[in-house]
Amino acid sequence: MKEYFPDIIKIEFSPGKTGHGLFFRQYNPVEITGEKSMKEHLRFSMAYWHTMCCGGDDQFGAPAYVRPWHDVSSPMKMAEERVYAAFEFMQKLGIEYFCFHDRDIAPEGKTLSETNKNLDKIVRLIRKMMSETGIKLLWGTANLFNNVRYIHGASTSCNADVFAYAAAQVKKALEITKELGGQNYVFWGGREGYETLLNTDMKMELDNMGFFMQMAVDYAKEIGFDGQFLIEPKPKEPTKHQYDFDVSSALSFLKTYNLDRHFKFNIEANHATLAGHTLQHDLRIARINGMLGSVDANQGDLLLGWDTDQFPTDLYSTTLCMYEILKMGGFEKGGLNFDAKPRRPSYTPEDMFYAHVAGMDSFAKGLKAALRIIKDGIFDNFVAERYQSYSHGIGKKISDKNPDFKSLEQYALKLKSIENPSGRQEHLESLLNDYILNS
Ligand code: XLS
Ligand code: CA
Ligand code: CA
């Protein structure tokens, strides 16, 4: 078996060490923080598509990444070599999970049966590597957006043949996810949306998408797949309008089609910001609805209007993300999947490591800060105090859902003055800075 990163040795936590070099400055996998080790809290995962498949091309430029496993003779040979490179890469970083689309791991053949045979062959190899290394599958999914057959969408296509083909593809993707012990199965509907309503039967498309997901739930039950279904919202790109726009709209879709009890969310930072939210906003909506499943850990560039999928280095975002995750009691089946790619000029294999180390250290720092914030209760106490008017008097009655408009009018008529407390936002933001700097 060829070694793909011969110059890189296992990356270690090196406290106090500074300057250049491949080592963890914050992430100590075995350090107990709270009640778990850092690696149990964070459950880092490698995204197969960016890390193993992406060539670093963009709208204006050819592939730029140097990836030795891209240079082999046939697509199947490349798929095999990719598996070896992927497991070597994850082992050297100490990443214990990965995620894939069906088409990332094996190429499409001339027919669907040939494609499925290709998949079976690579899945056997992945399974062997998983049992040798102990690395696990965080989630699997089907790529229902790349092939030109999905030009009008997959389950929302105007073409029933495409709907059927997509169903066959998801059926197979569920089977291999189960076979590899995947802990979750993700639906991201990149082309499930529309370009113009002039040619779109929106009601039919949404009904079909709901039915499609229900069939997936039914089939998972039939084959005994007990992973968690996740829906990953994104507002746009590649379609102009994607139906699962953000957590709120996807939640309303799930409730309309009676699917909410079968699904949680996989929330991607860059998708939340594309929808005009912070990552924390979408995490909070999912959390308060008991539906925060997993996170695609990346960040966007707010000066660019598209999904740049950058490695997460913004400590505010990693801290507030970990805050939401800890507040829900930690990940159960989910994890932090680096759905991110190095920038095009960071084209060397070493950059793949530097990029992951940057993301892992940023989340380790965020975890430490969030744990302290929660332990000290500093924001919790402030929030409780801010809403204390609901714990007594008229506020208590409102909390107990007692009054009506008439009795509230009587109360308001008697009020002599209204005094509001300060929101203290700037003070709270400087406390957050302190926690990040000192954790
Ligand atoms: C694309 C999405 C995609 C999903 C999985 O923007 O992030 O990669 O995570 O299909
Ligand atoms: Ca994603
Ligand atoms: Ca993305």
Side-chain angles (χ1 to χ4, degrees), residues 49 139 232 266 268 271 296 339:
W49 51 102
W139 50 261
E232 180 182 325
N266 180 42
E268 179 176 317
H271 297 180
D296 268 9
D339 188 354

Side-chain angles (χ1 to χ4, degrees), residues 208-428:
N208 282 353
M209 187 160 97
F211 173 52
F212 192 92
M213 289 190 184
Q214 183 61 56
M215 285 193 296
V217 166
D218 294 343
Y219 188 64
K221 202 168 166 203
E222 193 179 324
I223 62 172
F225 171 63
D226 59 2
Q228 173 66 55
F229 276 104
L230 300 170
I231 194 164
E232 180 182 325
K234 184 175 182 181
K236 56 188 166 191
E237 196 200 354
T239 45
K240 181 173 92 171
H241 178 94
Q242 202 177 299
Y243 289 134
D244 40 18
F245 190 95
D246 59 2
V247 171
S248 297
S249 43
L251 181 57
S252 132
F253 165 82
L254 291 172
K255 282 190 187 286
T256 304
Y257 293 95
N258 261 323
L259 288 162
D260 48 317
R261 70 203 151 91
H262 302 294
F263 277 81
K264 287 188 176 177
F265 287 98
N266 180 42
I267 299 172
E268 179 176 317
N270 204 164
H271 297 180
T273 51
L274 275 178
H277 306 308
T278 58
L279 167 61
Q280 194 189 9
H281 169 96
D282 261 10
L283 293 171
R284 179 69 63 93
I285 301 221
R287 172 163 78 80
I288 62 180
N289 284 286
M291 292 174 81
L292 173 46
S294 199
V295 172
D296 268 9
N298 65 8
Q299 69 188 32
D301 185 325
L302 299 184
L303 299 183
L304 298 172
W306 65 91
D307 192 16
T308 56
D309 284 340
Q310 292 171 224
F311 274 84
T313 52
D314 177 335
L315 297 180
Y316 289 108
S317 179
T318 61
T319 300
L320 295 172
C321 174
M322 287 318 298
Y323 177 83
E324 296 300 325
I325 287 158
L326 292 170
K327 281 294 219 180
M328 75 155 180
F331 286 124
E332 193 188 325
K333 297 189 170 182
L336 294 171
N337 171 46
F338 289 118
D339 188 354
K341 56 187 174 206
R343 297 306 82 201
R344 190 163 178 261
S346 306
Y347 65 90
T348 72
E350 292 77 44
D351 286 303
M352 294 165 57
F353 286 89
Y354 279 112
H356 281 80
V357 166
M360 292 161 87
D361 270 341
S362 302
F363 264 96
K365 183 76 168 170
L367 168 67
K368 288 189 265 185
L371 276 163
R372 282 195 53 214
I373 291 169
I374 290 173
K375 183 161 168 268
D376 291 356
I378 194 133
F379 297 126
D380 280 347
N381 294 342
F382 187 88
V383 171
E385 179 65 22
R386 185 160 179 249
Y387 292 87
Q388 56 80 28
S389 70
Y390 288 94
S391 61
H392 57 270
I394 189 70
K396 176 84 174 61
K397 287 186 186 151
I398 294 171
S399 291
D400 294 341
K401 313 277 182 290
N402 271 330
D404 56 15
F405 269 13
K406 283 181 286 175
S407 60
L408 288 172
E409 182 192 44
Q410 287 308 309
Y411 178 84
L413 285 169
K414 284 186 220 134
L415 277 175
K416 293 200 180 60
S417 65
I418 290 183
E419 274 178 41
N420 272 314
S422 165
R424 294 266 191 277
Q425 180 171 335
E426 298 75 8
H427 171 60
L428 297 171

Side-chain angles (χ1 to χ4, degrees), residues 1-20:
M1 192 192 310
K2 178 169 172 189
E3 190 177 5
Y4 276 105
F5 310 98
D7 300 332
I8 302 217
I9 50 167
K10 180 143 188 349
I11 296 170
E12 304 287 352
F13 174 55
S14 307
K17 195 165 157 188
T18 53
H20 295 297

